[in-house]
Amino acid sequence: MSMRHLLSIEDLDREQIERILARAASFAEVSGRPIKKVPTLRGRLVVNLFYEASTRTRSSFELAAKRLSADVLNFASSGSAVEKGESLKDTVTTLSSYRPDALVVRAPFAGAAALVAGWTPAAVVNAGDGKHEHPTQALLDVYTLTRRLGTLEGRSVWIVGDVLHSRVARSGVLALRRMGAEVTVCGPPTLIPRGIEALGCAVRHDLSDLGEAHVVYALRMQNERMSESFVPSLREYVAHYQINARRLSPRQLLMHPGPVNRGVELSSDVTDSPQALISEQVEAGVVVRMAVLFELLSGAAPEPSGAAAQARPATEPQLA
Amino acid sequence: MSTPLVAPAGALPADLLVRQARVLDPRAGRDGEADVLVQGGEIAEIGASGALSPSPGTELIEGEGRTLLPAFFDCHVHLRTPGQEHKEDLDTGTRAAAAGGFCGVVAMPNTAPPVDSPELLRSLRETAAAQARVPVGFLAAITRELAGQELTDMAELSDLGALGFTDDGLPVVSAGVLRRAMQYQRLAGGVLALHEEDPALSAGGALHEGPVSALLGVRGVPSLAESTMVARDAALAAYEGARVHIQHVSCAQSLDAVAAAKADGGALTAEVTPHHLLLCEEDVRDLDPRVKTNPPLRGAEDRRALVEALRDGTLDCIATDHAPHAREDKEVPFEQAAMGTTGLETAFAALHTELVLGGALELGTLVERLTAGAAVMGLAMPRLAPGEPANLTLVDLEAEWQVGEEGYESRSENCCFAGRRVTGRVLLTVAGGAVAYRQRQFALSAA
């Protein structure tokens, strides 16, 4: 089944995830070449619409689009009409007049990308909607892990930290479950949302059984959580939840969505260790986002009416 | 002292005969085919079916196959006047009421500015007399600027016709301030209608705290943000002997507190909205801003408990909490969207379809609960009996329609039932003795 938008992991089945991962693997070869570009999406327009600060997600979408030869327009909320009070809907309508083929949307509100999908003829990619989902992050995490482990069937993944405020955790749990992994979320009781078990994960509040994990996925711990009394102090958080060489065994893999707060959720020794897949995750970000853009823009023929109609039909990636 | 309900000035008293309709008034124990004659805005006679004939100048309405009910009374609506007339005003809001079969509504004071002074209430009542289509009552604020600190001039507001007091939209956070209002109520009279929410537990929340909020990553409002305040205020009211009304009860825990207060003999009443009776957190999963309400839609088991409590009388009445919003307040991501749904035009049809046709509630009970808001406000209930003012609505219980297909009488279109197929249509509403609404096709066919 071809996809029209990528709004959430919840919408995807295992087959769709596997198809994106396989496509990403084929693009990985492109990234290894001296000339890292294929003409697959030449003449297509990808617009990045970012309402939150982002370095790696925005730049990896930009790089992914450029490696597929698409044109890229970056639209950030600061310094734009948004600061002059323009609504999300009006901004999307305005940008849609440029006839983009894909809109990559990040906004601080749950459901924002899904709303945008109703307002534009372009394919919409959710690059993070509030604390809800961040599907491309989950896909690149699963890609990174399957490259290292092969199948995820029966593997145990512990997601540790501020699950309450984490879209990475929510998409991650869903994607890992789809791929057959066992998922445990672990963090202070104040930072684990009530009812999270509905996603199919186990809940723990201490790291005493961390040894059962094949993979430890640490989340970013933001400083403002202290002032909101979610945790009494950084010191207390570090004492109970920091992943460090004392807690991580050498046979376990370590992941983190970045950017890392060294000395908070991760100690430097494990961050810099060969167990850490953090750089591989960043690298995977580009090829997985290439695969997502390819999936959305090259699959079905563009809709006969509207913006995409004039665009060239896409060709298969030319890897030869 | 002013009469609490403001009647539309210049409304013509109705002279009409509804012939051979099923006439249902649960309070009068009446349910059967009859003729109802209205003269000079009063119910003059109820006769055997087909026995009455119209005198010259009396309009004949064929009621065969239709049902005549006492018109409904909504003790909780937002008419947005003064200050937010782009969302609703006294004309459009009461047109919506009439189209929904309501013969009276009570407007909340959380306008811009809020109704917290005698001067404002006086001018608002003058506007209502000029613009409203059905009689309108007003609640005044409990505290100045709804700030929860200083009491309004409750006694003078009451003398000017305020039915009571509420800071609706906001809770009275301080138990001390609310206690003073309860004490002062002995002088001022009127009901204290309470929006129950502990902001320390609800802050930042946009939907019910439960599996759906966990899945969506949206901060939840736990049920106990409401139920702990209901319990607190029921205890205060019992101690002070105050007359309080709990607005828009949303969860099972609050029902326990209401039932306990009633069992102790407290003079406490409670309302529930159509959306809390018919929708739950699952309906919020796709984050449609139209289903964002305060209090939020709760769990499925809460919804079932509310229906049961409405049936057994723990909940006294249905109130729509009709909350019109402009398009730009709702065409935004869920967490940013304004809270509330319109409800006047859809309450009867939606509840009839889901609860009566669904087998959970008798039609008579639904009608009783849709009219009981008048008694909650200390007013006479609409009744179908000779000598009573004509407050009645003629409905077609079999007519199917789709919510929104013909637009709305309300100025706003943020209806949580938009697009639903419903069964049961209001054809005619007589409010305070005057015809306030005729459904278009019905009016054409009757002409």
Side-chain angles (χ1 to χ4, degrees):
Chain A
M1 199 193 85
S2 80
M3 290 162 51
R4 172 98 177 82
H5 307 289
L6 177 60
L7 302 176
S8 68
I9 294 294
E10 212 192 346
D11 297 337
L12 301 184
D13 58 28
R14 183 166 178 164
E15 196 186 321
Q16 287 171 311
I17 294 174
E18 281 173 344
R19 195 170 66 218
I20 293 169
L21 301 189
R23 183 76 64 193
S26 76
F27 284 131
E29 189 270 333
V30 176
S31 297
R33 291 193 220 159
I35 295 172
K36 302 174 177 58
K37 206 156 174 156
V38 289
T40 314
L41 297 181
R42 191 163 59 203
R44 299 299 193 101
L45 175 60
V46 175
V47 173
N48 284 324
L49 174 57
F50 275 61
Y51 283 87
E52 280 181 345
S54 160
T55 309
R56 67 193 69 203
T57 302
R58 195 196 54 72
S59 54
S60 75
F61 267 109
E62 183 172 354
L63 208 50
K66 285 178 170 171
R67 288 199 176 159
L68 294 168
S69 303
D71 296 322
V72 181
L73 182 68
N74 287 314
F75 188 94
S77 57
S78 60
S80 71
V82 172
E83 284 192 339
K84 297 172 189 163
E86 189 174 56
S87 72
L88 176 63
K89 186 180 183 187
D90 287 342
T91 302
V92 168
T93 305
T94 303
L95 291 175
S96 295
S97 305
Y98 300 141
R99 309 205 162 196
D101 299 282
L103 264 179
V104 178
V105 181
R106 166 168 292 186
F109 304 106
L115 270 183
V116 169
W119 295 332
T120 178
V124 173
V125 182
N126 181 7
D129 61 330
K131 322 264 180 279
H132 177 214
E133 280 228 35
H134 191 358
T136 58
Q137 177 74 43
L139 290 171
L140 74 87
D141 290 335
V142 168
Y143 174 85
T144 305
L145 271 183
T146 49
R147 297 281 271 187
R148 185 63 79 102
L149 296 175
T151 178
L152 302 189
E153 202 68 55
R155 304 286 188 164
S156 165
V157 181
W158 276 50
I159 299 177
V160 180
D162 179 3
V163 175
L164 182 65
H165 298 97
S166 178
R167 54 191 169 214
V168 173
R170 249 169 289 272
S171 287
V173 171
L174 291 170
L176 289 163
R177 293 290 296 142
R178 293 273 198 283
M179 301 305 290
E182 302 295 325
V183 183
T184 299
V185 298
C186 178
T190 48
L191 290 174
I192 302 290
R194 196 182 171 87
I196 190 77
E197 295 90 342
L199 268 65
C201 57
V203 173
R204 301 296 293 268
H205 298 301
D206 64 70
L207 295 178
S208 53
D209 292 327
L210 188 69
E212 74 183 34
H214 298 102
V215 180
V216 178
Y217 195 116
L219 298 170
R220 201 176 139 70
M221 185 63 199
Q222 287 170 320
N223 273 322
E224 60 260 34
R225 305 299 168 224
M226 316 301 159
S227 55
E228 292 171 77
S229 272
F230 284 106
V231 270
S233 69
L234 213 51
R235 180 188 151 95
E236 185 121 328
Y237 182 82
V238 167
H240 286 85
Y241 299 103
Q242 186 188 69
I243 306 300
N244 52 38
R246 215 158 27 80
R247 291 186 167 131
L248 195 70
S249 99
R251 51 169 188 82
Q252 292 175 306
L253 295 175
L254 177 65
M255 300 178 81
H256 190 286
V260 174
N261 290 312
R262 284 178 185 254
V264 184
E265 68 268 11
L266 294 183
S267 67
S268 274
D269 48 9
V270 295
T271 309
D272 300 329
S273 77
Q275 300 167 261
L277 304 180
I278 300 169
S279 301
E280 289 171 63
Q281 288 174 270
V282 176
E283 211 180 320
V286 178
V287 294
V288 166
R289 287 171 178 126
M290 287 170 78
V292 167
L293 290 173
F294 179 86
E295 178 80 17
L296 296 179
L297 299 187
S298 75
E303 292 197 345
S305 64
Q310 287 81 28
R312 295 156 49 108
T315 52
E316 281 294 303
Q318 294 162 12
L319 300 176
Chain B
M1 285 276 286
S2 308
T3 337
L5 282 190
V6 183
L12 292 174
D15 292 304
L16 48 86
L17 172 63
V18 181
R19 199 157 59 177
Q20 294 182 305
R22 172 188 176 193
V23 178
L24 172 67
D25 183 349
R27 256 181 227 100
R30 182 189 291 280
D31 185 6
E33 215 173 88
D35 286 2
V36 176
L37 177 67
V38 173
Q39 288 201 306
E42 274 192 9
I43 297 176
E45 192 176 351
I46 300 182
S49 187
L52 303 184
S53 35
S55 49
T58 298
E59 181 187 358
L60 176 66
I61 292 170
E62 289 299 348
E64 204 174 346
R66 287 147 179 168
T67 305
L68 190 70
L69 306 170
F72 316 135
F73 189 94
D74 193 341
C75 64
H76 189 157
V77 302
H78 296 269
L79 300 182
R80 305 297 188 210
T81 304
Q84 295 177 312
E85 289 85 351
H86 65 292
K87 298 184 178 191
E88 196 80 287
D89 63 27
L90 292 161
D91 173 35
T92 58
T94 52
R95 276 175 191 267
F102 290 87
C103 64
V105 294
V106 178
M108 297 299 112
N110 64 336
T111 47
V115 184
D116 62 358
S117 71
E119 296 73 23
L120 195 57
L121 179 62
R122 191 180 287 119
S123 92
L124 189 54
R125 287 171 57 89
E126 284 167 11
T127 312
Q131 294 182 0
R133 301 295 171 126
V134 304
V136 183
F138 294 93
L139 293 182
I142 298 172
T143 64
R144 288 177 207 278
E145 295 175 348
L146 307 174
Q149 316 257 325
E150 306 163 71
L151 299 185
T152 55
D153 293 345
M154 288 169 61
E156 190 180 351
L157 287 161
S158 194
D159 286 346
L160 283 171
L163 284 162
F165 307 91
T166 183
D167 279 1
D168 179 46
L170 296 169
V172 179
V173 177
S174 161
V177 170
L178 184 61
R179 185 184 171 203
R180 294 276 180 261
M182 288 175 174
Q183 292 171 333
Y184 202 72
Q185 186 191 39
R186 284 176 227 153
L187 172 69
V191 65
L192 284 167
L194 302 174
H195 169 120
E196 301 291 27
E197 175 183 352
D198 182 346
L201 292 171
S202 66
L207 46 72
H208 174 56
E209 180 176 287
V212 174
S213 68
L215 182 68
L216 294 173
V218 175
R219 193 176 288 194
V221 177
S223 293
L224 77 166
E226 175 179 297
S227 62
T228 55
M229 291 289 270
V230 174
R232 182 197 81 170
D233 295 346
L236 284 171
Y239 187 71
E240 294 296 348
R243 167 76 188 91
V244 301
H245 174 65
I246 308 298
Q247 298 179 301
H248 42 54
V249 171
S250 72
C251 60
Q253 293 91 327
S254 295
L255 290 172
D256 295 342
V258 169
K262 287 187 167 187
D264 290 345
L268 175 137
T269 54
E271 69 185 32
V272 62
T273 71
H275 47 278
H276 288 106
L277 288 167
L278 300 181
L279 303 173
C280 66
E281 60 179 338
E282 278 300 320
D283 297 291
V284 186
R285 272 186 81 131
D286 58 2
L287 290 174
D288 180 342
R290 279 181 303 207
V291 293
K292 182 178 180 185
T293 61
N294 188 22
L297 301 172
R298 301 290 183 188
E301 62 293 346
D302 291 300
R303 191 194 70 77
R304 280 191 292 273
L306 291 171
V307 172
E308 177 53 25
L310 182 70
R311 199 192 56 73
D312 74 19
T314 305
L315 294 168
D316 297 84
C317 67
I318 295 162
T320 64
D321 194 6
H322 178 79
H325 284 294
R327 193 176 292 181
E328 62 267 25
D329 301 322
K330 283 290 195 179
E331 279 191 338
V332 292
F334 191 88
E335 288 159 278
Q336 284 185 302
M339 293 182 285
T341 172
T342 59
L344 284 166
E345 292 170 71
T346 50
F348 175 73
L351 292 165
H352 175 254
T353 306
E354 300 297 327
L355 298 186
V356 178
L357 298 181
L361 209 62
E362 298 284 330
L363 176 61
T365 311
L366 175 61
V367 171
E368 203 283 330
R369 303 293 188 260
L370 278 167
T371 51
V376 165
M377 290 290 130
L379 301 168
M381 299 224 233
R383 288 187 61 213
L384 297 182
E388 292 284 329
N391 287 303
L392 48 88
T393 184
L394 185 68
V395 299
D396 182 341
L397 292 177
E398 281 158 19
E400 273 190 52
W401 54 292
Q402 183 173 331
V403 175
E405 65 187 349
E406 290 174 10
Y408 302 95
E409 299 289 336
S410 169
R411 183 160 289 147
S412 295
E413 56 198 10
N414 58 300
C415 182
C416 64
F417 301 122
R420 275 202 183 208
R421 297 294 305 176
V422 289
T423 304
R425 177 143 228 177
V426 172
L427 303 175
L428 172 84
T429 303
V430 179
V435 174
Y437 174 76
R438 291 172 199 269
Q439 202 261 332
R440 194 183 306 141
Q441 278 133 11
F442 172 68
L444 289 173
S445 69

